[in-house]
Structure formats: structure tokens, C-alpha cells
Amino acid sequence: MNGNGKSKISMTSNGIIINKHNILRFFLHYYCTSCDILISMYRITVVSQALMFLVMAVVLLEVVKERRVSPIRHSSPFLWLLSSDVIMLALIATRWVLLEIALQGKETAFTHTLFLVVASLQFVSYYSLLSSFAYFVLDYISQKTRVSFLWAHITVPVSVIFTILCCASLFTDNLFYIFKGGISAHGPLYWLSGFGGEFVVLVTVILVVRYHRVLSRGDRLSILSFVVLPLLVQFVPHFREWCSMQVALSFSILCIYCFIHIKQAYLFQKQEVKLAQDKIAIMISQISPHFIFNVLNTVSVLCDKDSKLAKKAIGEFSKYLRANLESLETDRTIPFEKELDYVRYYLNLEKLRFQEDLLVVYDIQANDFFIPPLTLQPLVENAVRHGLLPKKGGGTVRISTWKDCDFYKISVTDDGVGFDVDKTLSADKANIGLRNVRERLWVLMGATLEVRSEIGLGSVVTIQISSMGGGGRRKGVF
């Protein structure tokens, strides 16, 4: 320790001891005497980071575009991960500019203050990137099996603590010294600075090992690249000479994006054919010969009893047929109000058959969103056919919609006979019913469908659609 309490730093390259006040002069001298090597490495680092920034910026724009107009949607943690990486690369580029200004002897008090601000923001973006990666890994695994997000939640306070420590060290010199010109040196507690990143690395390895059975080989390799590439840069001199830690992190994120994007594109093409077949199957199941026979029989009876009502029934039936046929021609999500009209046509026909035995309640508190066609109608038909009709005296079907925080919710409730949920959803016939609708909602909109039923009491089917990336004011393309 020297007189003012600051640690001295040994620079063994020329056998002298350099303190905080003359280290800048020493660095500039060393920079000049090793000019060719330093300039070469400096240019390689700057160019590689600049190119990586452009690449990742393009990827970020592409992901944002895909979330808005494409069925291949990336999770919010992955979008946050990309955003943090792009911001971090931009801040690093700004630091290189400020360092160049200092090395040319043009630094001012303003540029030095700006450097401290940029460095603080860089720490924020770095630890934000680490936490986002933990959330992304768990979110990706959650698409394959049930997981707990506890590990990801733990990374948040860890990242906050190390962000505060690093930002404070810009002024306290605990982890490292920052000199005029932006040149840094290790401080007395520098060994603590890497614990935040190492903790996220440990979390990632634990998650991959724990859930390796649900992850493919490509999943494991792409996720672990976020661990392996930075370690190579840190501990293998050859890699450290040609690649920076930030470029390694960005390259691993790019590998993850390419793998996921290609995999999702392949799965989407495969699912697109199946969804088209399922949509036809739903339509055929709804316009069944049995249903057509019942409607025509009802119209025949009404012709003798009430010709005006018979005429109304024919009009409703023609609207019902036209609506179902139109749904086969569209390749976009439709406004909820339009899907609700299709349901009304169907329920009006059923009301003509069952009169007071079928009561319908509409509780529509939100309708400003989009859903795939033939989504609500099969759920209502199931409630009427399998819930109310077998019940003596009929019952009530209630259609409700509301907005809950960032989600639109739709529920179809009946007080019918109920059913065994596990047994029904595992049956083959359910493939053109509830399971079909659930799959279409998930693939096309990332929406969920939950079924609850109790024998003798009735059933509730609830759809949850995100107002951010799902049905809010957006016409998605199949």
C-alpha cells in the first residue's frame, strides 16, 4: 500500500512498480514501443465487434418483424437477450471511440464523464444479458416439459448486486481502477468481478444436465455454446488474441438464433399441412349429415306451424353454411366479433330445435382481438351436444370474454353433465375437438386452452391470448 491507501501494481514487463498516478504514462509508452502488435490487435477487435454489432442488429430487427407478422414467434426472454446484446455492443463501440480520443491526447472532462456513464450502462446491459439468457433457457425447456423458473429468478438479484458493485467500482476502485483515458487495471477485489457471470454459467450447466432428456443434441450444443465460447476466449490465449468476450457471447447467441429459427421453420412447414387438414376436419365434423338432417327436419316442422319462423331458420342455416365455407378460404386470423357471429348462427338454429331447454348467455366485455376461425364454434358445439343435450331439461351455455392484465380471455361454460377430462382428451375422437383447437391456438398464436369439468356439474373451457404478441389488434397469418 502507498501513502494514500492505493495499491501499487507490479508491471513485470520492465521490472518497475507503477502506481495509479503514472500508469497512464507507462501504458502510452508501452503502446508506442509495441505499436505494430497493438494496432493490429486493436483493429481486429474493433472490426470484429463492429461487424458483430451490425449482424446482431439485423437479427434483432428480424426477430421483431417475425413476432409481429409471422407464425414463427420468438419468446420475450430471447428478444430481451438480443436487445441486451445489441445495446452492449453499441456501448462497447462507444468506449472504443472514447479510448481513441484519449490516446490521441484530446480527452476532456466531458469525454471522461461520458466514458463513466457508458461503462455503467455496459455493466447494466451485460448482467441483463446474463439474466435474460437464464430465462430464455428455462422458457425454451418449458415448451417441452414443466419446469420451475426459480433458477432464473435467482439470477436477477445476483445480476443486480454485481451491476451495483461494478458501477460503484468506477468511483471506489474496489474491483478495478479507471484512469483518465478509460484505461483500466485490476483492483484489490477484482477476483469478485467474475462471480456473476460464473453463476449464470453454473445455472446453465445445471439446467442442461437436469433436463437433458427433453433437449435434443442440437439444443444442448447451442445452449452450451453460450458457456464454452466465452471460456475459450478467457482461458485459451490463441482465442483471446483474435476474439473478445463480447464477440464470443454474441456469436453464441447467433448460433442459438440460427438453430432455433431453422428448427422452427421446419416444424412450422410440417405443422402447416397438418393444421390445414385439421381445419377441414373441424369444418366437416361441424357440418355433419346428422346436424343437417336435424336442421332440415326442424324447418319442415316449422313450415306447417310458423312459416315466418321457418323462413328465419332457412336464413340462419344459409349463414351458418356460408360462414363455415368461408373459414376454409381464409389464411388469416379473424376478428373475434366475426367468430362470435358464426357461433350465433349455430346457436340460433339449436334454439329453434330445443326452445326453452337451451338458454344462451353472452357476457362480452372485450372483443378487440383476433382469433383463428373455427376456434370458438367447436367449443360451443361440444358444450351443447355433449354437455346440455344429454341432461334432462337442458341447461345454459355462457360465452364470456374479458381482459386480464396483458391477456384476453374467452370462456365457454355449461351446466351440463360434465365429463372426465383426462379420458376425453386422450381419446382419438378428441383429435378433431378440443385437442385440435388447443394445438391450433398454440401454434398460430401462442395461446393456451384450459379445460375443467366435473361430472354432474358441467364444464368450463378457457382460452388465454396475449394482448402483446397474440390477438391484440393484429391480423396474424397462418
Side-chain angles (χ1 to χ4, degrees), residues 55-196:
V55 171
M56 299 307 293
V58 171
V59 171
L60 176 61
L61 293 175
E62 185 66 20
V63 169
V64 172
K65 178 182 176 181
E66 288 173 353
R67 282 174 59 90
R68 293 175 61 87
V69 302
S70 171
I72 304 175
R73 293 181 181 85
H74 299 278
S75 63
S76 296
F78 185 72
L79 181 61
W80 189 253
L81 177 67
L82 269 177
S83 302
S84 299
D85 185 61
V86 171
I87 293 172
M88 183 177 69
L89 290 172
L91 293 171
I92 292 172
T94 305
R95 285 188 63 177
W96 278 115
V97 172
L98 294 174
L99 178 59
E100 182 67 27
I101 293 175
L103 293 176
Q104 294 178 3
K106 300 179 181 179
E107 185 184 37
T108 62
F110 172 77
T111 57
H112 183 69
T113 303
L114 181 60
F115 173 85
L116 296 178
V117 173
V118 170
S120 300
L121 294 176
Q122 184 181 337
F123 294 134
V124 173
S125 62
Y126 172 70
Y127 285 104
S128 173
L129 182 147
L130 295 180
S131 292
S132 299
F133 183 75
Y135 276 100
F136 160 73
V137 172
L138 279 170
D139 181 76
Y140 187 71
I141 296 174
S142 69
Q143 299 176 23
K144 304 173 183 293
T145 186
R146 296 185 64 179
V147 297
S148 170
F149 278 76
L150 177 62
W151 283 106
H153 297 333
I154 293 176
T155 64
V156 175
V158 171
S159 297
V160 171
I161 290 172
F162 277 91
T163 299
I164 295 174
L165 286 176
C166 290
C167 291
S169 186
L170 294 173
F171 308 95
T172 62
D173 298 338
N174 288 326
L175 301 182
F176 41 75
Y177 300 122
I178 298 294
F179 305 102
K180 188 175 182 180
I183 299 169
S184 62
H186 296 181
L189 299 178
Y190 179 78
W191 54 274
L192 277 174
S193 62
F195 278 10

Side-chain angles (χ1 to χ4, degrees), residues 334-394:
I334 61 175
F336 172 77
E337 277 289 352
K338 191 172 184 178
E339 177 75 2
L340 188 61
D341 288 339
Y342 297 166
V343 173
R344 287 194 177 103
Y345 301 149
Y346 165 75
L347 289 175
N348 289 341
L349 292 171
E350 295 289 42
K351 282 281 292 182
L352 291 174
R353 290 177 57 201
F354 302 106
Q355 301 297 322
E356 285 78 15
D357 287 344
L358 175 59
L359 299 178
V360 181
V361 177
Y362 296 98
D363 181 18
I364 309 301
Q365 300 179 25
N367 58 12
D368 189 19
F369 58 95
F370 292 81
I371 62 174
L374 297 177
T375 296
L376 181 62
Q377 190 176 334
L379 305 181
V380 175
E381 285 198 42
N382 277 341
V384 174
R385 290 183 184 180
H386 306 297
L388 301 182
L389 296 189
K391 180 182 177 181
K392 186 178 180 179

Side-chain angles (χ1 to χ4, degrees), residues 275-284 287 321-332 342 373-374 440 478:
L275 291 174
Q277 294 172 344
D278 288 344
K279 189 164 67 169
I280 295 174
I282 292 177
M283 190 274 291
I284 293 175
I287 312 177
L321 291 175
R322 184 170 62 249
N324 279 272
L325 292 174
E326 285 178 352
S327 67
L328 292 177
E329 300 175 358
T330 182
D331 61 347
R332 293 179 176 271
Y342 297 166
L374 297 177
R440 294 173 68 235
F478 287 9

Side-chain angles (χ1 to χ4, degrees), residues 196-393:
E198 291 166 0
F199 178 78
V200 175
V201 168
L202 179 62
V203 168
T204 302
V205 173
I206 291 175
L207 292 175
V208 171
V209 172
R210 183 175 180 181
Y211 297 103
H212 71 279
R213 294 184 178 179
V214 299
L215 294 172
S216 66
R217 180 181 297 178
D219 292 332
R220 296 193 295 268
L221 291 176
S222 60
I223 292 173
L224 289 177
S225 69
F226 193 85
V227 176
V228 175
L229 292 180
L231 288 179
L232 288 175
V233 172
Q234 185 172 359
F235 295 107
V236 180
H238 179 72
F239 283 93
R240 188 164 59 247
E241 291 175 3
W242 301 98
C243 180
S244 66
M245 178 70 72
Q246 293 77 16
V247 171
L249 289 173
S250 300
F251 186 77
S252 64
I253 296 173
L254 185 62
C255 292
I256 294 172
Y257 167 76
C258 292
F259 176 79
I260 293 176
H261 182 82
I262 293 172
K263 186 176 181 179
Q264 287 187 333
Y266 170 75
L267 292 177
F268 173 70
Q269 290 177 354
K270 194 174 180 179
Q271 291 171 336
E272 194 175 36
V273 177
K274 185 178 184 300
L275 291 174
Q277 294 172 344
D278 288 344
K279 189 164 67 169
I280 295 174
I282 292 177
M283 190 274 291
I284 293 175
S285 69
Q286 289 173 268
I287 312 177
S288 63
H290 182 68
F291 177 72
I292 294 175
F293 171 79
N294 288 335
V295 171
L296 294 177
N297 186 56
T298 301
V299 173
S300 177
V301 173
L302 289 176
C303 286
D304 295 331
K305 293 183 177 181
D306 190 337
S307 59
K308 289 185 179 180
L309 195 56
K311 184 178 180 180
K312 178 182 178 182
I314 294 173
E316 294 290 342
F317 187 50
S318 65
K319 291 177 182 178
Y320 173 80
L321 291 175
R322 184 170 62 249
N324 279 272
L325 292 174
E326 285 178 352
S327 67
L328 292 177
E329 300 175 358
T330 182
D331 61 347
R332 293 179 176 271
T333 53
I334 61 175
F336 172 77
E337 277 289 352
K338 191 172 184 178
E339 177 75 2
L340 188 61
D341 288 339
Y342 297 166
V343 173
R344 287 194 177 103
Y345 301 149
Y346 165 75
L347 289 175
N348 289 341
L349 292 171
E350 295 289 42
K351 282 281 292 182
L352 291 174
R353 290 177 57 201
F354 302 106
Q355 301 297 322
E356 285 78 15
D357 287 344
L358 175 59
L359 299 178
V360 181
V361 177
Y362 296 98
D363 181 18
I364 309 301
Q365 300 179 25
N367 58 12
D368 189 19
F369 58 95
F370 292 81
I371 62 174
L374 297 177
T375 296
L376 181 62
Q377 190 176 334
L379 305 181
V380 175
E381 285 198 42
N382 277 341
V384 174
R385 290 183 184 180
H386 306 297
L388 301 182
L389 296 189
K391 180 182 177 181
K392 186 178 180 179

